[in-house]
Structure formats: C-alpha cells, structure tokens
C-alpha cells in the first residue's frame, strides 16, 4: 500500500440547532434531514410561511418543552417538508453592531419572527426578553442567533426560522446548504407525530456530543446502548482509511452497521454510509460492488436530500461507470462484496 493516496471520505455536515429542552417522556421519534441546495444569491430574506406548510405540519406548544412541530397529516418517506431561505445570512466574523444594525433595518414582521425564537442563556449572561438599552438588545439578539443559527459552507451562518422550530433527537441527522434549506422526511411520519432532528454531529465522540448539548442548549442526550454500538462499529470501519483493516473487513463492518441501524430504528446517514462503502469497493477495484453500493447511496440520498443533491448526482455517475470513481484502483484488487438486497434495506 506504499505510495497509494490516503482516501478522503465524504465528510458529515455540522449544524447548530435550537434550544428547547427535550422531554424524557416516551414519544415517537421522527428523524429529518436538512439538505444543501446551491443558489446564486447568498443573501435573501424569507418573509412569509408558505401556505403549503400549513397542509403538512403545525407549530404547537408542547408541555414542558416550548414550541415544536407536529405532522398535520401522514407524511411519506422522502417527501419535502420545508423549503426555506434564511431570514439572516452572515459571515462567521462580524462587527459587534452588525446584528443590531440588521435588526433595526428589518420590517416589524421580520423582527417578530426573529424574537419569537427561543434561546438558552449561558452562565453569567444578563438577558431580558424586553430590552430597554442597546446593550440589552444586543445580548438578546446574540443569544437567539447563537442558539438557532446553522453553520454553512464557506464560513457563513444562516438563520432559518421555520427549521428552528424542530426539536432535538439524539439519533437524528442533518446536513448543511449554501442558501436554500430543504427538509425531507427520511421515514414515514404519522399524523400527530413530532418532527425532530439533531443539533449535533453524530460522528463526534459521546463526550463531545454531551458537552456541546449541555453548554450550548442546556440539556443532556441519553443515547441508547444500541446507538453507541452503531457508533463503535463505524469507528472500527474508519480504520480502513489508515490501512489497519482490509476491504473485506471494512465492508463486513458496513453490513453490521446497517443491521444495527435497522434494529435500532436509526434512519439517518444511510446514504453517507453506502457512499463510503462504494469508496472501499472502488479503491479495491471491485466493479460490481462499487456499482451496487452506489445504487444504494443514490436510493437513500434521494430520500434524505433529493434527487438533485450532490451525493445523489455523484452516485448516479458512478453507477453508470464505476471506474470513474476517483478512488478506483488505489488499493490492492479485492472482491469486497456487495450490499444487502435493496428490498431489505428499503424496509420502513
């Protein structure tokens, strides 16, 4: 393997979410994915909630947890739920008065939309919901933005008020976009179920995830043993990148990951996992496996992000010609194995 390039896996996206505390009571968990879509304009305000939203979900008060989003009707897997432009789009480095200047230039409707979002004060913060001075207003604006902004590519932050109503689920997933945000259902959702997503990068260590949730949002996330086992299997799979395991063992770990995710009802990241398996197959010049894993990546990426998403488009190219994969032949030739039958992994 000397002289071979070290593979670069597709990276997971990291988003910041909202602040409302998660209830410990049992309820149906519905996972959503937030999707990247490139737009020419990098600054735009989304002024009105489309009437389409009101046919899909309601924003309601949830006992002990503030506002949340519940399905108004049955929602099918892969259905587009939210399509939203940012109320505010800013670079990560801004002047101290940027938020207040922007706020004063907003319409009354935009101000009300922003101030309606929740926040979790940090220790030592002096924040009031009815500011009377410029300092108090800045503290309030910073707290709301800090807890609701989404990290985008190229060092930008965006605030999407409708997405910000989604509460946290420890085993959910979402990804970033440039300017337009899309939310898809990654499983069937029944009328009355709450729509949830995660506020953290699920590939970070458990300690890092817990620390981030506690410091940023003020609550803990109790992960199941099954979820922790899924993370452990994935961590072992990543050892292939450094040559510590061979391609056959790596694909075997992908199979283990997939079986555990079905058993635990862990719906997110399947498109990403299938694409990573295609990386392994391509590196070992296994043409059939590269094509089949790419088919699976395309199937789930279409559900999670839409057929025009970057991953879906990439996967479609590799399905047509596996040898176009940039990792093709960078490891020793090996038949690593194809995925499960697609009928099984489509199970809902």
């Amino acid at each position: 393997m000397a002289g071979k390039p070290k593979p670069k896996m597709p990276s997971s996206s990291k988003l910041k979410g909202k602040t409302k505390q998660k209830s410990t009571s049992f309820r149906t968990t519905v996972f959503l994915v937030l999707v990247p879509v490139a737009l020419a304009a990098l600054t735009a305000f989304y002024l009105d909630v489309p009437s389409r939203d009101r046919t899909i979900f309601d924003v309601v008060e949830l006992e002990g947890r503030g506002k949340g989003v519940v399905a108004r009707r049955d929602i099918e897997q892969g259905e587009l739920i939210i399509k939203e432009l940012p109320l505010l789009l800013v670079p990560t480095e801004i002047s101290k008065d940027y938020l207040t200047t922007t706020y004063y230039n907003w319409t009354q409707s935009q101000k009300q939309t922003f101030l309606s979002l929740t926040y979790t004060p940090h220790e030592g913060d002096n924040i009031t919901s009815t500011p009377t001075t410029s300092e108090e207003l800045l503290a309030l604006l910073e707290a709301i933005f800090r807890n609701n902004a989404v990290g985008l590519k190229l060092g930008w932050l965006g605030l999407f008020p409708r997405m910000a109503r989604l509460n946290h689920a420890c085993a959910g997933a979402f990804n970033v976009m440039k300017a337009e945000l899309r939310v898809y259902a990654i499983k069937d959702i029944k009328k009355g179920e709450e729509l949830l997503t995660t506020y953290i990068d699920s590939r970070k260590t458990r300690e890092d995830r817990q620390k981030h949730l506690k410091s940023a949002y003020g609550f803990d996330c109790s992960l199941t043993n099954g979820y922790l086992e899924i993370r452990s299997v994935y961590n072992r799979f990543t050892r292939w990148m450094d040559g510590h395991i061979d391609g056959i063992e790596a694909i075997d770990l992908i199979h283990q990951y997939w079986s555990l995710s079905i058993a635990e009802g862990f719906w997110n990241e399947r498109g990403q996992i299938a694409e990573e398996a295609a990386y392994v197959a391509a590196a070992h010049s296994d043409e059939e496996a590269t094509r089949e894993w790419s088919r699976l990546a395309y199937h789930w990426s279409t559900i999670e992000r839409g057929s025009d998403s970057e991953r879906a488009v990439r996967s479609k190219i590799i399905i047509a010609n596996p040898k176009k994969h940039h990792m093709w032949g960078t490891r020793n030739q090996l038949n690593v194995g194809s995925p499960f039958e697609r009928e099984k992994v489509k199970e809902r």
Side-chain angles (χ1 to χ4, degrees):
M1 294 172 57
K4 297 291 186 180
K6 182 178 178 179
K8 182 180 180 181
M9 292 292 191
S11 60
S12 293
S13 306
K14 302 176 177 67
L15 262 66
K16 293 181 182 179
K18 312 167 309 314
T19 64
K20 295 181 286 302
Q21 190 161 348
K22 180 181 177 183
S23 169
T24 56
S25 62
F26 291 101
R27 69 183 189 280
T28 303
T29 300
V30 178
F31 301 124
L32 307 172
V33 172
L34 313 185
V35 181
V37 179
L39 293 181
L42 286 180
T43 54
F45 291 120
Y46 201 91
L47 303 179
D48 300 310
V49 176
S51 58
R52 178 179 178 276
D53 281 8
R54 292 188 287 273
T55 69
I56 300 174
F57 61 83
D58 292 311
V59 178
V60 300
E61 288 289 341
L62 300 172
E63 186 176 356
R65 294 184 292 117
K67 292 187 186 313
V69 178
V70 298
R72 190 165 188 169
R73 58 168 173 79
D74 290 350
I75 300 172
E76 293 185 358
Q77 182 186 57
E79 184 175 345
L80 176 64
I81 297 175
I82 294 175
K83 184 176 181 180
E84 182 174 21
L85 294 176
L87 173 65
L88 181 61
L89 188 64
V90 301
T92 52
E93 297 293 332
I94 59 175
S95 62
K96 188 174 182 180
D97 62 350
Y98 185 92
L99 284 178
T100 50
T101 300
T102 301
Y103 177 81
Y104 285 128
N105 287 327
W106 274 343
T107 65
Q108 189 61 31
S109 174
Q110 290 170 323
K111 291 176 182 178
Q112 291 175 350
T113 296
F114 185 89
L115 294 176
S116 70
L117 300 175
T118 56
Y119 61 91
T120 299
H122 288 184
E123 186 176 352
D125 283 349
N126 183 22
I127 300 174
T128 174
S129 59
T130 55
T132 57
T133 67
S134 58
E135 290 79 11
E136 289 177 346
L137 176 62
L138 177 61
L140 176 60
L141 297 179
E142 287 181 340
I144 293 174
F145 188 77
R146 181 176 62 227
N147 284 271
N148 293 277
V150 170
L152 311 178
K153 295 179 180 178
L154 305 177
W156 288 77
L157 298 171
L159 190 140
F160 301 83
R162 290 153 59 215
M163 178 278 294
R165 293 299 185 192
L166 299 175
N167 279 318
H168 173 73
C170 291
F174 48 71
N175 304 284
V176 297
M177 73 307 295
K178 286 185 179 178
E180 184 186 65
L181 175 140
R182 296 182 186 180
V183 180
Y184 289 89
I186 61 175
K187 61 172 290 186
D188 289 340
I189 303 169
K190 296 296 184 183
K191 179 180 178 180
E193 290 182 344
E194 185 179 5
L195 279 57
L196 303 169
T197 193
T198 186
Y199 301 170
I200 52 177
D201 177 8
S202 61
R203 295 174 191 240
K204 287 183 177 292
T205 66
R206 183 188 187 197
E207 291 73 22
D208 287 345
R209 292 192 299 267
Q210 298 284 27
K211 182 179 179 180
H212 176 70
L213 287 172
K214 191 67 175 178
S215 63
Y217 308 116
F219 64 85
D220 296 308
C221 186
S222 300
L223 301 174
T224 66
N225 289 334
Y227 174 78
L228 296 176
E229 187 177 357
I230 290 171
R231 292 293 94 199
S232 175
V233 169
Y234 180 78
N235 290 338
R236 285 156 54 199
F237 162 75
T238 61
R239 298 180 66 209
W240 174 84
M241 292 186 288
D242 295 315
H244 295 302
I245 62 174
D246 64 24
I248 294 176
E249 185 175 353
I251 294 299
D252 181 64
L253 288 166
I254 290 292
H255 282 285
Q256 291 182 42
Y257 179 102
W258 209 284
S259 296
L260 285 168
S261 72
I262 291 174
E264 292 294 319
F266 185 69
W267 289 88
N268 58 296
E269 300 180 358
R270 294 186 180 185
Q272 175 81 17
I273 292 298
E275 186 179 47
E276 292 184 0
Y279 267 58
V280 175
H284 290 288
S285 305
D286 188 335
E287 185 170 355
E288 180 184 357
T290 302
R291 179 177 284 112
E292 289 306 307
W293 282 113
S294 295
R295 288 187 196 277
L296 193 58
Y298 177 79
H299 169 75
W300 279 102
S301 297
T302 298
I303 290 172
E304 296 168 349
R305 303 181 171 204
S307 60
D308 60 347
S309 63
E310 292 180 6
R311 184 185 298 142
V313 172
R314 283 198 306 266
S315 298
K316 198 169 184 178
I317 292 171
I318 303 306
I319 292 169
N321 187 354
K323 293 181 180 180
K324 283 189 175 182
H325 199 294
H326 74 277
M327 286 302 299
W328 185 264
T330 55
R331 297 282 182 95
N332 59 304
Q333 188 169 2
L334 195 64
N335 292 328
V336 298
S338 295
F340 299 108
E341 297 89 343
R342 283 189 298 280
E343 288 72 23
K344 291 183 180 179
V345 298
K346 288 180 186 177
E347 182 181 20
R348 299 180 178 180

